[in-house]
Amino acid sequence: MLIFACVYIYVLSYMAEITLSFLCVVLVLCILIPVAFHLYKFWMQERKRKTIDRFCAYLFPGDTDGLMKDRVVNRMMSLTGNRFTEDEVLDYYLKIKGLQMIDLNSFNDNDMRKFLMRPTQVRLQYRELVIFYEQFLNQSEAHGINVEGVY
């Protein structure tokens, strides 16, 4: 107990020597760091959303009302038995289909490259993977996308 009291007295004597300007700097940093962290997280979510929107426009050309994208998401949801959310399923489809269609070495959009190289949020079972690749492997011809022109 005596050691605790000595440490407490030492800390109080040290605190008396700290100037007011130093306390102001610490207070400002304690406020700015969490605010900057949350702004950064918000900014990264916005960049991801814009990248997904641009990528959907690339994979589903001419799909202004989103019917083609909704049809793909509904097929994936029925394939997985509604275990995942629509965002997770769309993320999986965009990453797999994007890696199939785009040559990353010649593609110059850094946000899309980062999006494609991150791991997917969904882990499908083997049976679901086989059905996914059977259903969606040659879908680029159905969309009217020239795969050779992308490379």
Side-chain angles (χ1 to χ4, degrees), residues 10-27:
Y10 176 73
V11 168
L12 285 180
S13 66
Y14 180 73
M15 292 290 288
E17 296 173 5
I18 296 177
T19 63
L20 184 61
S21 62
F22 180 73
L23 288 177
C24 290
V25 168
V26 169
L27 182 64

Side-chain angles (χ1 to χ4, degrees), residues 14-54:
Y14 180 73
M15 292 290 288
E17 296 173 5
I18 296 177
T19 63
L20 184 61
S21 62
F22 180 73
L23 288 177
C24 290
V25 168
V26 169
L27 182 64
V28 167
L29 286 177
C30 288
I31 292 172
L32 283 181
I33 289 174
V35 169
F37 178 72
H38 287 295
L39 286 175
Y40 177 75
K41 282 177 45 178
F42 175 74
W43 180 61
M44 291 304 289
Q45 288 174 349
E46 278 298 308
R47 281 180 61 189
K48 182 179 178 183
R49 186 190 59 78
K50 288 180 181 178
T51 301
I52 288 174
D53 290 344
R54 284 196 330 253

Side-chain angles (χ1 to χ4, degrees), residues 51-64 66-73 89-103 107 112 115-116 132 136-147 150-151:
T51 301
I52 288 174
D53 290 344
R54 284 196 330 253
F55 207 62
C56 284
Y58 180 76
L59 282 179
F60 305 111
D63 187 28
T64 57
L67 291 176
M68 199 178 304
K69 181 177 78 170
D70 290 340
R71 194 170 36 207
V72 167
V73 169
V89 168
L90 184 63
D91 176 73
Y92 183 82
Y93 175 78
L94 291 177
K95 287 180 181 176
I96 299 300
K97 196 64 177 173
L99 288 172
Q100 177 191 2
M101 293 181 62
I102 294 176
D103 182 18
F107 200 64
M112 283 194 189
F115 173 74
L116 290 175
F132 171 78
F136 296 106
L137 189 62
N138 295 323
Q139 192 173 4
S140 60
E141 289 82 10
H143 288 314
I145 298 173
N146 184 8
V147 178
V150 175
Y151 292 108

